[in-house]
């Protein structure tokens, strides 16, 4: 059997949200649309503009401190064999939030560090209109411009879930255009979120659910996407020499992913700038139903890398042929494929396009195994 036949299984659209979606707020039926992609990836280029790349400063100092900066901008692969993940890296310049003219330190609650107080209008531009934050929220809320950017690439969604909603930094931006389920363990924080949502006039689009994401997400799904910014281990996360997502995030990140696998096809994980991208790619092991496509967005305020957004699944747009070429060039192609690289990558590319990357890679490795067996048999 040749590659074409091996890969030519019927295409079953992986977005079955249209049939299975349920969302029980008292509003008219929502019909989620097929996810549209986030911005198409730029093809991989080793000559990524040095002035624009955040890796510039780290390169000039000779030692890249943040693991994410070791990846080049553009398309690449992480992981091996059947666990290969297509990865796009994109730097996103966020307009630096304006600092207040005067610090108004006399209004600052004692427990709030000055560095967070000075960022308050960046956190919520309507801060002075009645925004509330508690101690944990001050250091963990997502800055408004970043949250707006994340929501902005999700405008195709009809129903979103924020599994760790906090004070509402992200929920408010999603709720500007879609129904949003806000899950949080802490009922007082959800009260704060409701208050903040009112300040932005989006409270009617939000359903608050008090509880453990691990226990209640499945019951609220399926949803078009799940966004998550779980606790990273407190503000001292930045001090660990090697930030380990498997031991620092609570609850256990592998369990979080297993829950997402059952509830959605699109996952966005918001992580510290110190997170290791290879560890993020390993998370797909726990989400076999989610397409192994990952886009890292590096959020920068000028030269400062603030945080990273990890987009996973259907919503990530890739160039199937470029991914196919990368995969095949890793596999020592001539050993088991009858055709030239160009022909094989066109076929694998169309299989990725039609069946999705997970099935296409599966079929490729099945074929490889079969060829290996038959080679042994004839020896
Ligand atoms: P930071 O690194 O503590 O702040 O958090 P900053 O100002 O970059 O620190 P500096 O010392 O380098 O100047 C950066 C951003 O990450 C915060 O604004 C929050 O949006 C987010 N963040 C920080 N923490 C500790 C958490 C966390 O535990 N959970 C989540 N979800 N977000 C966090
Ligand atoms: N993105 C939010 C900040 C999230 S901070 C914002 O912009 O405001 C992380 C939140 O996760 C905290 O509010 C914490 O109460 C909540 N949390 C911690 N463990 C949880 C769990 N198991 N299930 C749901 N929420 C949880």
């Amino acid at each position: 059997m040749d590659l074409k036949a091996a890969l030519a299984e019927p295409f079953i659209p992986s977005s079955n949200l249209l049939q299975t979606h349920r969302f029980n707020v008292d509003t008219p039926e929502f019909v989620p649309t097929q996810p549209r992609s986030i911005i198409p990836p730029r093809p991989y280029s080793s000559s990524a503009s040095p002035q624009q790349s955040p890796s510039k400063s780290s390169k000039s100092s000779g030692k890249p401190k943040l693991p994410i900066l070791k990846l080049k901008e553009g398309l690449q692969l992480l992981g091996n064999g059947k666990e290969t993940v297509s990865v796009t890296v994109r730097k996103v310049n966020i307009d630096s939030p304006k600092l207040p003219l005067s610090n108004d330190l006399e209004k600052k609650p004692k427990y709030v560090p000055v560095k967070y107080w000075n960022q308050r209008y960046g956190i919520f531009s309507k801060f002075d209109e009645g925004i509330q934050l508690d101690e944990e929220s001050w250091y963990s809320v997502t800055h408004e411009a970043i949250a707006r950017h994340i929501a902005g690439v999700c405008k195709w969604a009809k129903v979103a879930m924020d599994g760790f909603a906090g004070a509402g930094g992200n929920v408010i931006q999603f709720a500007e255009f879609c129904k949003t389920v806000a899950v949080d363990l802490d009922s007082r924080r959800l009260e704060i979120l409701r208050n903040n949502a009112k300040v932005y006039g989006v409270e009617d689009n939000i359903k608050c659910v008090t509880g453990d994401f691990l226990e209640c997400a499945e019951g609220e799904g399926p949803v078009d996407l799940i966004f998550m910014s779980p606790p990273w281990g407190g503000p001292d996360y930045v001090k660990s020499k090697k930030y380990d997502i498997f031991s620092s995030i609570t609850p256990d990140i592998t369990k979080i992913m297993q829950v997402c696998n059952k509830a959605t096809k699109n996952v966005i994980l918001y992580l510290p700038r110190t997170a290791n991208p290879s560890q993020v790619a390993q998370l797909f092991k726990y989400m076999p139903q989610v397409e192994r496509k990952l886009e890292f967005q590096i959020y920068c305020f000028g030269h400062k890398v603030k945080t990273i957004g990890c987009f996973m699944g259907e919503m990530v747009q890739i160039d199937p042929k470029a991914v196919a070429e990368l995969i095949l060039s890793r596999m020592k192609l001539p050993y088991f494929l009858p055709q030239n690289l160009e022909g094989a990558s066109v076929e694998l590319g169309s299989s990725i396009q039609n069946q999705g990357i997970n099935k296409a890679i599966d079929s490729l490795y099945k074929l490889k195994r079969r060829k290996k067996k038959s080679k042994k048999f004839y020896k």
Side-chain angles (χ1 to χ4, degrees):
M1 188 194 272
D2 65 5
L3 177 65
K4 197 171 192 169
L7 298 176
E9 284 171 19
F11 170 49
I12 303 154
S14 51
S15 176
N16 57 0
L17 295 169
L18 281 171
Q19 287 84 42
T20 52
H21 163 70
R22 63 203 150 88
F23 183 80
N24 44 6
V25 275
D26 301 326
T27 40
E29 182 70 5
F30 303 107
V31 185
T33 51
Q34 184 84 12
R36 254 191 281 129
S37 66
I38 50 182
I39 322 146
R42 251 179 284 152
Y44 171 78
S45 147
S46 52
S47 59
S49 157
Q51 296 98 311
Q52 285 182 358
S53 167
S55 56
K56 187 204 169 198
S57 52
S58 47
K59 258 187 199 153
S60 57
S61 70
K63 40 178 181 176
K65 290 197 183 81
L66 302 176
I68 189 76
L69 297 184
K70 289 184 185 163
L71 294 182
K72 292 195 174 106
E73 281 187 77
L75 184 65
Q76 54 226 279
L77 302 177
L78 284 178
N80 278 315
K82 283 178 72 176
E83 303 200 332
T84 300
V85 178
S86 135
V87 175
T88 311
V89 179
R90 195 184 301 284
K91 180 195 166 203
V92 180
N93 281 313
I94 302 289
D95 271 345
S96 297
K98 306 262 178 303
L99 288 176
L101 290 175
S102 90
N103 278 341
D104 287 340
L105 284 181
E106 67 281 2
K107 289 189 197 154
K108 179 184 86 60
K110 273 209 175 104
Y111 65 86
V112 181
V114 175
K115 78 163 180 176
Y116 295 126
W117 178 251
N118 286 346
Q119 299 180 46
R120 62 195 184 279
Y121 299 117
I123 292 173
F124 282 113
S125 57
K126 298 193 178 183
F127 185 86
D128 288 341
E129 294 174 38
I131 288 295
Q132 294 172 6
L133 292 169
D134 63 0
E135 194 167 352
E136 185 173 337
S137 309
W138 269 103
Y139 65 75
S140 53
V141 64
T142 305
H143 276 241
E144 184 170 303
I146 300 179
R148 197 181 318 117
H149 171 84
I150 293 172
V153 294
C154 299
K155 289 231 164 115
W156 50 269
K158 299 282 187 221
V159 187
M161 180 189 288
D162 184 335
F164 300 83
N170 296 95
V171 169
I172 288 169
Q173 298 303 323
F174 285 121
E176 291 277 355
F177 64 91
C178 79
K179 295 288 160 190
T180 307
V181 184
V183 181
D184 204 289
L185 261 186
D186 189 326
S187 59
R188 281 166 310 167
R189 203 155 295 130
L190 284 177
E191 282 305 319
I192 291 177
L193 182 150
R194 270 198 203 97
N195 168 80
N196 296 344
K198 273 187 199 147
V199 171
Y200 281 79
V202 295
E203 70 276 21
D204 292 345
N205 257 355
I206 299 170
K207 178 189 178 189
C208 289
V209 177
T210 308
D212 184 342
F213 172 76
L214 299 182
E215 280 157 22
C216 57
E218 215 185 324
E220 298 296 326
V223 291
D224 293 341
L225 65 89
I226 300 184
F227 171 88
M228 293 170 303
S229 55
W232 300 344
D236 283 349
Y237 78 87
V238 81
K239 292 184 185 158
S240 24
K241 267 200 168 165
K242 281 193 173 170
Y243 185 84
D244 179 355
I245 62 171
F246 294 107
S247 60
S248 307
I249 290 176
T250 51
D252 181 342
I253 191 72
T254 65
K255 292 197 176 124
I256 293 179
M257 293 298 151
Q258 283 163 357
V259 168
C260 288
N261 184 53
K262 294 183 193 150
T264 192
K265 303 278 182 209
N266 296 289
V267 177
I268 306 168
L269 186 58
Y270 192 63
L271 287 181
R273 54 186 177 262
T274 47
N276 180 338
S278 305
Q279 286 194 331
V280 178
Q282 287 167 32
L283 295 176
F284 284 89
K285 276 189 208 160
Y286 307 95
M287 301 188 293
Q289 305 300 326
V290 173
E291 286 288 286
R292 286 198 291 278
K293 294 187 287 175
L294 170 58
E295 176 167 318
F296 288 113
Q297 297 196 344
I298 310 176
Y299 302 117
C300 301
F301 288 172
H303 282 297
K304 181 183 167 81
V305 177
K306 192 79 171 167
T307 48
I308 55 179
C310 313
F311 294 71
M312 306 172 179
E314 272 186 2
M315 71 181 299
V316 177
Q317 196 188 52
I318 51 168
D319 172 350
K321 185 161 174 266
V323 174
E325 271 167 19
L326 283 177
I327 293 172
L328 292 173
S329 62
R330 267 198 184 182
M331 287 183 78
K332 298 186 187 139
L333 168 91
Y335 149 64
F336 77 100
L337 290 178
Q339 294 160 317
N340 58 16
L341 178 61
E342 175 62 21
S345 55
V346 168
E347 281 178 26
L348 179 59
S350 68
S351 164
I352 291 174
Q353 172 91 43
N354 296 330
Q355 304 184 359
I357 191 167
N358 292 11
K359 278 195 178 170
I361 294 182
D362 261 14
S363 310
L364 191 66
Y365 276 86
K366 268 186 208 151
L367 179 70
K368 184 177 177 181
R369 261 205 317 275
R370 240 182 277 144
K371 291 275 169 177
K372 209 172 180 177
K373 267 192 195 159
S374 59
K375 217 172 150 189
K376 272 189 195 155
F377 181 79
Y378 287 112
K379 262 187 182 170

